[in-house]
Amino acid sequence: MMFTENRDMSSTISLPTCSCCHRHIMPNDKCVKFNCPDCGVDLIWRCQSCREAVRNYTCSSCNIQGP
Ligand SMILES: [Zn+2]
Ligand SMILES: [Zn+2]
């Protein structure tokens, strides 16, 4: 059985947003992602420049700020 459905993968990629600077994180960015240590609900993304600058993130679920 062949899968003939051809999906266009180039236009519908949704990039994650950095929780610190709110910029889109590129796929080749050396970013980190982790769940909020307080509520565990929100997924915190941190881009490479925010990691290096050790910027604070803000959880959008419980509004804690942390390094
Ligand atoms: Zn950032
Ligand atoms: Zn949280």
Side-chain angles (χ1 to χ4, degrees), residues 18 20-21 23 29-31 46-55:
C18 175
C20 309
C21 64
R23 277 184 293 213
D29 206 328
K30 288 190 174 59
C31 62
R46 224 171 180 200
C47 70
Q48 185 177 3
S49 60
C50 288
R51 267 182 61 209
E52 289 168 356
V54 201
R55 290 200 186 99

Side-chain angles (χ1 to χ4, degrees), residues 35-42 44 57-64:
N35 281 99
C36 170
D38 198 59
C39 66
V41 175
D42 224 50
I44 311 285
Y57 60 83
T58 306
C59 174
S60 60
S61 293
C62 62
N63 278 322
I64 65 147

